[in-house]
């Protein structure tokens, strides 16, 4: 299916967005009232509402017959269709995809996950995700005529680094899983299915954005690290997600912390990941005689104040704190956030990171960032993807622009800040 | 003196800028020709050219009598005044201020420095700088009626970090010279004197910007480190200079590289600065029996291939390479630049940084940044300040905006990218 493209689409989307927001803020309104509130001509508004009605984004709720004083034909009153989805967040993990659907108020309407095998192709993963959306739609009576934006989180660097051998060449077969090619086609599949702009980014980076804008105390400069099977990171600098020159920014897990340390899956030795990932921590516990199989075992050892667990966790956190110290000297963030389930099971991690970090910084208290555990859990990856498409995110406004968007901002009715102003926008 | 402020000033400046650029590109033109080229009404253009003539930015060179076919009064032809300065760069070092004055083509018209005592107040330094500008003006017949922007580089963090004790409180008396208060008032003095917008930033950061946009191969992501009496740094990320949440971004010199190392002037131990600054390198040479007094001695030892000098330089560069490795994993820059006079005297430094960095990165060649010595010298600090005000820098467009600027971009005639779109703009 051919998608409409270019400036006109963006302008139309902006109009639609204004109409939807007016209805969201004011409840049911007549076309005349909407036209006044959003500052559009009756003709343009009529086109917009016609399209929105046809797609089921809004519904006719009644007429203003009972409320009007003047004569003439009663005007229809329009309102948002509460069953109409507005935003979608999709998080592709290594073994499951999580989908969150939100309404115009950014409230979650439906959410679920579906598992797949770690070897599943991207075509299969995409098909499973779209099937999940269909199921949620059927179960919850949600329809998608007015989707404003879709955020998709993927594991691994995004955009895929440009290798001399091509993105799907020898690298896919190398020992460096963090460098496997990004899932081309996922964005197109969602854009074509829902006729909405799609933002794709690394899911750890999207989590960083979600943490930066979460709550009332949003920050413009944030360093985010997630400890799980690996150690990933994401940066928000000056209010923008940082991708780097080749899509590799935020790879704090592969900073060397022990030059003669254990081999890392990336091909180096002694990366932070080898000591601060969950497998790295469990391996160190074994090395000191504490035989733990999994995160649950570790949680029990922590609860029992086992000295080996405490020591290993503190050493891992100290290494993490030194890496974050260098990142903090480099970027001077207002906040450092440590994510991953292990952070909740072992609070000593965040405590020790904060203590090590304090020693790594200038001896001036005011210069140090706040250090805290992530507010969103690992299962909230789709929330991070959702965060990237919420219009009213002041952070998104400055996210790298596509050429189309630059053109669009020259148009008279173009937005200052819309979902379309984001990276990797389709259409 | 009260300065005009707000949107109208910015719009007027944009008009002036367009007129000046048209004259720069086309040579002498009549008002009618200018109006067509820049798309302004004759009335608006007349106001603009009147103001520019009055301030001496442009001059009447002749009339079009000899070139025109039609009847009527011959039209005056206007041209840039070659003696009219357009941009100014000012670099305040610890012991001298350097001023560079450039014309509309970004060509340097005049340049000089004046020394002061390290204990000189900011009022004294400002007065000396303004006196230097006066002298250059008198000597070279330059006038300043049409200055479009002034860039000022200052040592130390800028903007000054907000301490609980105030910016001029106990911090000024602390052992941390990198944290002394920024020179308030310098920007105001220059803005009032020249009626031009002023950008102030840390001079190492401005050097980073100058390196990022130098030459044909400008990059959007760059890590810059300068080795001199200390070790400073600057970052360009996604095309923007990074200041950090408290003005402290880029302090790579104070990343810990030897936890039990020498005390650093910042109050910590074993900072990169203790091993990779010029004093740090000289001290290490003494420690291994090579008694060098200064950089010149070191250059001779390097020329003579003295093994101690080589070993010390390689170790310093290896430490630097590890710090840059962490910064590169964090930010994924396209280029790493090492500045400071020592870099030219001892090429082994850049070689060893590149070698260490290669070992610190993912074993995928394409992911690594270019590593090179700075193109601009330490004496070119004012060039960095100048770089920050050159209108046509695509990097400057995204530099943090002031509130005034945000308003201005909503105005119908507002620029997409002008000097006024920069941080710390006055008026």
């Amino acid at each position: 299916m051919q998608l409409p493209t270019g400036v006109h689409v963006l302008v139309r989307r902006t109009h639609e967005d204004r109409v939807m927001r007016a209805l969201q803020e004011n409840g049911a309104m007549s076309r005349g009232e909407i036209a006044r509130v959003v500052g559009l001509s009756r003709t343009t508004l009529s086109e917009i509402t016609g399209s929105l009605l046809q797609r089921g984004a809004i519904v006719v709720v009644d007429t203003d017959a009972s409320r009007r004083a003047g004569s003439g034909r009663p005007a229809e009153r329009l309102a948002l269709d509460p069953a109409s989805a507005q935003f979608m967040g999709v998080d592709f993990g290594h073994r499951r995809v999580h989908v969150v659907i939100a309404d115009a108020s950014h409230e979650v309407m439906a959410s679920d996950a579906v598992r797949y095998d770690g070897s599943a192709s991207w075509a299969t993963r995409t098909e499973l995700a779209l099937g999940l959306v269909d199921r949620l739609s059927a179960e919850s009576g949600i329809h998608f005529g007015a989707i404003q934006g879709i955020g998709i989180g993927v594991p691994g660097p995004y955009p895929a680094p440009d290798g001399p051998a091509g993105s799907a060449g020898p690298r896919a077969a190398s020992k460096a899983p963090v460098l496997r090619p990004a899932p081309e086609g996922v964005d197109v599949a969602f854009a074509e299915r829902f006729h909405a702009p799609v933002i794709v980014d690394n899911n750890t980076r999207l989590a960083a954005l979600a943490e930066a804008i979460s709550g009332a105390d949003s920050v413009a400069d944030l360093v985010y690290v997630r400890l799980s099977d690996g150690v990933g990171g994401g940066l928000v600098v000056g209010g923008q997600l940082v991708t780097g020159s080749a899509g590799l920014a935020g790879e704090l897990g592969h900073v060397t912390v022990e030059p003669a340390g254990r081999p890392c899956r990336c091909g180096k030795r002694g990366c932070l990941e080898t000591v601060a990932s969950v497998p790295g921590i469990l391996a160190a516990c074994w090395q000191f005689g504490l035989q733990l199989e999994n995160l649950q075992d570790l949680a029990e050892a922590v609860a029992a104040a086992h000295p080996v667990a405490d020591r290993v966790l503190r050493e891992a956190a100290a290494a993490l704190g030194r890496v974050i110290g260098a990142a903090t000297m480099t970027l001077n963030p207002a906040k450092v956030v440590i994510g991953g389930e292990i952070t909740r099971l072992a609070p000593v991690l965040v405590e020790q990171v904060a203590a090590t970090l304090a020693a790594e910084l200038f001896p001036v208290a005011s210069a140090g960032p706040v250090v805290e555990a992530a507010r969103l859990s690992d299962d909230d990856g789709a929330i991070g993807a959702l965060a990237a498409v919420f219009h009213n995110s002041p952070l998104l406004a400055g996210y790298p622009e596509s050429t189309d968007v630059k053109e669009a901002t020259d148009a008279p009715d173009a937005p200052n800040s819309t979902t379309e102003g984001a990276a990797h926008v389709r259409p």
Side-chain angles (χ1 to χ4, degrees), chain A residues 210-222 334-335 337 370 372 375:
Chain A
E211 295 287 343
I213 67 177
S214 77
D217 55 339
S218 69
V219 297
D221 296 280
L222 176 135
K335 191 188 272 191
V337 173
V370 172
E372 61 179 39
R375 299 174 184 191

Side-chain angles (χ1 to χ4, degrees), chain A residues 13 17 20-21 24 80 83-90 99-111 133 136 142-152 190 194 196-197 199 382-383 385-393 396 418-420:
Chain A
R13 279 197 187 283
D17 182 40
M20 306 283 279
R21 287 167 86 95
Q24 183 191 341
L80 292 183
S84 175
Q86 302 283 323
F87 305 99
M88 193 185 301
V90 184
V99 171
V100 172
I101 299 163
D103 66 15
S105 310
H106 297 181
E107 292 292 319
V108 172
M109 306 170 76
S111 162
V133 173
L136 288 171
I142 296 170
H143 57 84
F144 299 96
I147 282 276
Q148 296 185 49
I150 300 171
I152 299 181
F190 275 81
F194 298 103
I199 299 167
I383 299 287
L386 207 53
V389 290
F390 283 158
H391 273 203
N392 56 358
S393 158
L396 190 61
T418 71
T419 303
E420 289 81 11

Side-chain angles (χ1 to χ4, degrees), chain A residues 46-361:
Chain A
S46 194
E47 286 171 20
I48 300 292
T49 54
S51 166
L52 289 173
L53 279 167
Q54 194 209 327
R55 282 149 57 203
I58 60 177
V59 288
V60 177
V61 287
D62 56 17
T63 70
D64 63 352
S66 64
R67 303 166 66 241
R68 67 189 292 160
S71 60
R73 195 159 58 90
E76 289 175 342
R77 295 206 312 149
L78 308 171
L80 292 183
D81 181 347
S84 175
Q86 302 283 323
F87 305 99
M88 193 185 301
V90 184
D91 180 44
F92 286 100
H94 289 288
R95 289 193 170 74
R96 61 106 186 86
V97 59
H98 196 110
V99 171
V100 172
I101 299 163
D103 66 15
S105 310
H106 297 181
E107 292 292 319
V108 172
M109 306 170 76
S111 162
D112 206 353
V114 59
R115 298 187 68 81
Y116 42 70
D117 190 77
S119 64
S121 71
W122 275 103
T124 301
R125 294 174 187 211
T126 304
E127 200 179 316
L128 286 168
L130 290 170
L132 174 57
V133 173
D134 285 340
R135 179 162 65 76
L136 288 171
S137 167
E139 287 173 3
S140 309
I142 296 170
H143 57 84
F144 299 96
I147 282 276
Q148 296 185 49
I150 300 171
I152 299 181
V154 297
Y158 195 93
D162 254 358
S167 62
R171 184 176 300 141
S174 84
K175 288 188 301 180
V178 291
L179 290 172
R180 77 193 157 294
E184 288 174 31
V186 171
D187 50 351
V188 177
F190 275 81
E192 293 195 347
R193 173 72 182 277
F194 298 103
H195 297 264
V198 172
I199 299 167
V200 181
D201 211 328
N202 167 268
N203 46 22
T204 308
R205 233 180 250 155
L206 292 175
L209 180 66
E211 295 287 343
I213 67 177
S214 77
D217 55 339
S218 69
V219 297
D221 296 280
L222 176 135
V223 170
Y224 175 81
V225 183
R226 179 189 282 167
L227 312 180
S228 59
D229 285 351
V231 173
L235 311 167
V236 178
V237 169
Q240 304 190 24
L241 272 182
V242 177
T243 55
S245 63
L248 290 169
E251 291 286 1
L252 295 170
H254 299 279
V255 173
T256 307
V257 295
E258 291 180 356
R262 283 196 288 270
C264 180
R265 61 183 175 137
C266 78
K268 298 202 306 166
R269 265 184 186 279
C271 292
L272 175 62
E273 184 166 298
T274 64
V275 301
S277 66
V278 171
I281 287 168
L282 294 178
C285 287
W286 275 75
Q287 196 181 327
F288 293 108
L290 178 61
Q291 295 172 13
L292 307 177
E293 295 295 337
N294 53 38
L295 210 47
Q296 189 49 45
D297 292 350
L298 181 65
E300 284 167 18
V302 168
H306 196 291
V308 167
D310 186 70
R311 173 182 163 185
V312 166
L313 285 165
R314 284 193 185 277
E315 284 177 3
L320 177 57
R322 289 191 294 273
V323 170
I324 291 175
T328 296
M329 275 297 177
T330 307
L331 293 169
N332 185 213
K335 191 188 272 191
V336 169
V337 173
I338 321 287
E341 197 186 345
I342 193 172
T343 310
R344 257 186 298 277
L345 300 179
V348 65
L349 274 171
V350 174
E351 290 163 24
Q352 183 63 54
V353 167
T356 302
L357 183 58
E360 291 291 317
L361 302 182

